[in-house]
């Protein structure tokens, strides 16, 4: 029987090797923040860094900052800072644009790298934008989207993989928090002659991805969740070095040109990961992200993962005690960094939680999501949040009509 | 003989109806900034607005700010603020992504709206990213790019327009500053049954565009030049209301879905301009832009245009006196808001100018560009900048070897 007492949680906090990192984030008073899987908390380094970017680099440096502040290389420089977080050696990650744009661009490039194959394999429960863009790419490229659950993907690749150009999966199910078999699907895809594209939006910064070790081909992720880059922080793209010279994307923007300032009339892609650049990057967002990434140099993903699993173990134990239905797998190997609780009253319960300072979110039809960023969530947060949740469910506080209105986003 | 004296310039400043707007920008001491056509100066409203976005909306509001600070509607709200600047009635402009992404997405949508036609007409001297993306779209959609100079476009459309789906032109030539015949090319395209896409990166905020009055179909522009939205500020897209229900873009990101939070497995585009949304917008950049746009509510584009023409008239007169070759047309109807000076030593001259606090930029092979943002450039700036330019050329100051090294960007 796990110890879910507050005293035990405080003990765990006292010996938590990552506890010192919490002060690197500005957490508002009176809030337990369990929605860092949707928008990470504000890193303490960001406001000052952004002040400098705005007032000095933009305000005083003006156009000169493209050189003097090295704005030009921000997409590859920030990409290089993301690389160790996803287990990538240098020169394989570029930062920019949105996840949607990166997925689209990369799926087209992947189809072009597998001529004679025309199937994109993806999960019927993939994140919506991944599904929409796979369909759009298929329409543009005369390809076909075959929807196979992640659990069956390796078998389908082995049995019927000859037409499959690309297996495009999420590292984690955004609703249940179930972690997919990244290594197994990748190996099966490669055995079938296909490429893989992993969407790691819900794991980058929380779960080791080991892109190089697993021989991944393409990885796309966002940076505003566990990387805490801020609202609308740009996405990133990993292209394995061995594939870069054949990477032939659709979005041939001038920043990806071999000599952008030669202003040539025809496109010649840059060597290496720079050809993943498209147009002018959103520098305020990108440089805020750069500041946010500093904290990752002070820890490693194994430590982050260990604490994340301990936090989610504890929350699952609390939910069990409350008699709630946990939709997230209990096996560590199948768990991301969130816990999903299934409840018919998910929306009003979350509204009541937020009203009491415990912030998570909901996903249709009946999932309460609680995300645990090990860099700033404490064990005490876990038991305190569970206590509030338990009180709401026990007292029926969520039945108050004021919680019946659904918000747009959370 | 125009009066290019400093005394006269000071008189012009004294009676300039826009002079009061200069204080709405933070211009560094010792700098005459004539590169607002590349990166606009820092608006005074931006740092405070961004402080609030970062420290309060992100730091304290956290995920709740998607609702409470109305982040969700930022792309259409900021689009609505841009609309009057380009002469568009509400609900036709959306903000987001880069110019490159918007051009790509819109060219594909345009081809889909003209089935049976497969030609994109564009200028051989178009801005590079426009050319690269037209070629990419043609490759994806089995279309053809026909390169016809803007001056001949109307005639080609009239004589041989049956296969042309889209005429995609820049409102201004980014090198010479020559303004294109937006009304004429648009009318000729429509007469031929084609659509038009105008890239207004180099005119939005400086030259009236009158999108509705000219019956434009699509307009794409960036917001970091004359709109002063900051480094990497997001682009915008205008889709005429009459075309929105048929607008069928390639980038079907989840933010453009009719019910994004229903998380449906198939894409159903939102009604209206919202279907131009793609993924999560870069909110720090976008909300900085929103603050930057406030100044446009205090003037109108006719006044901005009148001053811009007076500034460029004066600079051309100064350049004439210096015996320099002006590449920008003298006719007002053919001039944007920049003056291009042709000189074999363009690079070292610009380096010497910047060293003395006069900031413009260069474009290959031999163009010195000087951009005039009427909101913050004064007539005294014009004659002072010209005096420095004249001194450098007269004394050969630019021949100093330290000016021989070319910078990356400017």
């Amino acid at each position: 029987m796990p110890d879910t007492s507050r005293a035990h949680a405080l003990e765990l906090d006292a010996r938590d090797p990552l506890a010192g990192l919490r002060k690197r984030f500005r957490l508002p008073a009176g809030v337990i923040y369990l929605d860092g899987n949707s928008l990470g908390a504000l890193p303490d380094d960001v406001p000052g860094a952004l002040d400098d970017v705005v007032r000095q680099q933009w305000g005083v440096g003006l156009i000169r900052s493209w050189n003097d502040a090295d704005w030009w290389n921000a997409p590859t420089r920030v990409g290089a800072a993301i690389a160790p977080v996803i287990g990538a050696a240098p020169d394989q990650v570029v930062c920019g644009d949105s996840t949607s744009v990166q997925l689209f661009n990369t799926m087209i490039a992947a189809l072009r790298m597998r001529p004679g194959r025309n199937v994109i394999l993806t999960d019927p429960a993939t994140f919506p934008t991944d599904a929409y863009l796979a369909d759009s790419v298929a329409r543009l490229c005369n390809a076909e989207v075959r929807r196979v659950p992640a659990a069956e993907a390796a078998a389908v690749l082995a049995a019927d993989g000859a037409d499959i150009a690309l297996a495009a999966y999420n590292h984690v199910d955004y609703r249940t928090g179930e972690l997919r078999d990244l290594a197994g699907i990748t190996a099966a895809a490669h055995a079938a002659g296909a490429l893989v594209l992993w969407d790691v939006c819900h794991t980058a910064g929380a779960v080791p991805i080991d892109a190089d070790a697993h021989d991944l081909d393409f990885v796309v992720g966002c940076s505003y969740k566990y990387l805490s880059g801020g609202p609308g922080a740009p996405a990133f793209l990993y292209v394995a070095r061995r594939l870069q010279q054949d990477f032939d994307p659709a979005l041939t923007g001038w920043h990806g040109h071999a000599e952008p300032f030669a202003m040539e009339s025809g496109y010649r892609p840059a060597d290496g990961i720079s050809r993943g650049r498209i147009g002018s990057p959103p520098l305020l967002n990108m440089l805020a992200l750069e500041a946010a990434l500093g904290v990752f140099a002070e820890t490693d993903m194994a430590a982050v993962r260990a604490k994340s699993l301990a936090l989610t173990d504890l929350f699952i134990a609390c939910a069990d005690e409350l008699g709630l239905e946990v939709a997230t797998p209990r096996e560590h190997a199948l768990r991301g960094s969130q816990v999903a609780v299934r409840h018919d009253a998910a929306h009003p319960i979350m509204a009541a939680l937020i009203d009491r300072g415990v912030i998570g979110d909901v996903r249709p039809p009946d999932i309460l999501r609680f995300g645990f960023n090990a860099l700033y969530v404490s064990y005490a947060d876990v038991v305190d949040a569970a206590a509030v949740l338990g009180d709401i469910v026990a007292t029926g506080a969520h039945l108050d009509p004021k919680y019946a209105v659904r918000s747009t986003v959370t």
Side-chain angles (χ1 to χ4, degrees), chain A:
Chain A
M1 193 76 175
D3 185 347
T4 60
S5 70
R6 191 161 207 277
H8 181 62
L10 290 172
E11 274 172 39
L12 293 173
D13 284 326
R15 57 173 194 261
D16 170 15
L18 300 187
L21 298 180
R22 181 177 169 101
K23 66 175 186 301
R24 300 290 305 275
F25 294 84
R26 299 190 183 182
L27 298 164
V31 163
I32 297 175
Y33 194 56
L34 304 181
D35 208 11
N37 54 318
S38 193
L39 175 70
L42 172 62
D44 190 53
D45 287 343
V46 165
L50 209 54
D51 281 351
D52 181 64
V53 169
V54 172
R55 291 166 166 85
Q56 188 64 34
Q57 295 180 25
W58 174 11
V60 178
L62 293 160
I63 190 70
R64 297 170 292 196
S65 289
W66 278 101
N67 297 314
D68 298 349
D70 203 22
W71 285 352
W72 181 260
N73 292 306
T76 48
R77 189 177 70 241
V78 178
I82 294 168
V85 180
I86 64 166
D91 304 325
Q92 299 179 103
V93 181
V94 65
C95 180
D97 298 282
S98 69
T99 302
S100 296
V101 169
Q102 295 289 4
L103 290 170
F104 173 89
N105 205 28
T106 306
M107 286 191 277
I108 291 178
L111 287 172
R112 288 174 172 173
M113 291 168 83
R114 287 295 180 268
R117 292 167 178 249
N118 76 331
V119 172
I120 299 173
L121 197 71
T122 196
D123 198 310
T126 188
F127 187 78
T129 218
D130 303 61
Y132 306 157
L133 290 161
D135 287 339
S136 178
V137 166
R139 176 179 169 197
L140 268 173
C141 300
N142 296 312
E144 176 200 328
V145 178
R146 195 173 299 164
R147 298 180 198 278
V148 171
E152 300 160 29
V156 167
L157 282 156
D160 192 24
D163 292 337
I164 299 172
L166 177 73
Y169 281 82
N170 303 143
H171 195 194
V172 89
D173 182 294
Y174 73 101
R175 278 172 289 224
T176 64
E178 179 172 344
L179 196 63
R180 304 311 192 183
D181 181 10
L182 180 139
I185 293 174
T186 299
H190 289 174
L195 296 160
V196 291
L197 165 58
W198 284 98
D199 177 335
V200 300
C201 284
H202 287 83
T203 50
V207 179
I209 291 159
D210 296 328
D212 287 346
H214 290 304
D215 205 26
L216 305 186
D217 301 310
F218 307 109
V219 178
V220 166
C222 77
S223 65
Y224 45 77
K225 296 180 188 288
Y226 295 104
L227 297 178
S228 302
F236 62 86
L237 166 67
Y238 163 96
V239 179
R241 189 177 292 116
R242 62 191 151 74
L243 300 177
Q244 289 173 3
Q245 284 308 107
D246 297 320
F247 184 65
D248 180 16
L251 284 156
T252 51
W254 73 294
H255 281 229
H257 194 281
E259 288 188 71
F261 290 94
M263 305 270 166
E264 297 173 1
S265 59
Y267 187 73
R268 286 191 296 125
D271 284 336
I273 192 64
S274 292
R275 73 174 60 180
R277 297 180 61 160
I278 303 173
S280 287
L283 281 161
L284 303 186
N285 272 100
M286 192 174 282
L287 299 174
L289 166 61
E290 184 170 33
L293 292 169
V295 71
F296 286 94
E298 297 173 32
T299 182
D300 61 75
M301 288 309 301
V304 170
R305 175 65 169 161
K307 182 177 172 188
S308 159
L309 287 169
L311 291 168
T312 51
D313 276 345
L314 182 58
F315 192 78
I316 289 171
C318 292
D320 286 345
E321 282 189 8
L322 295 170
L324 295 169
E325 181 187 348
V326 174
T328 301
R330 277 140 207 281
E331 304 94 302
H332 284 178
L334 297 180
R335 191 192 309 159
S337 196
Q338 76 183 55
V339 176
V341 172
R342 219 182 275 284
H343 198 293
D344 289 341
H347 267 92
I349 290 173
M350 184 53 68
L353 277 165
I354 292 173
D355 213 20
R356 296 196 193 183
V358 178
I359 302 180
D361 62 21
V362 294
R363 285 296 176 257
D366 58 358
I367 295 281
L368 293 138
R369 292 199 309 180
F370 301 94
F372 297 85
N373 187 325
L375 302 176
Y376 55 77
V377 173
S378 70
Y379 296 93
D381 285 341
V382 170
V383 296
D384 290 348
V388 177
L389 174 61
D391 185 68
I392 288 168
V393 173
T395 63
H398 60 286
L399 302 174
D400 187 313
K402 71 179 170 179
Y403 298 130
V405 179
R406 293 188 181 202
S407 65
T408 312
V409 179
T410 57

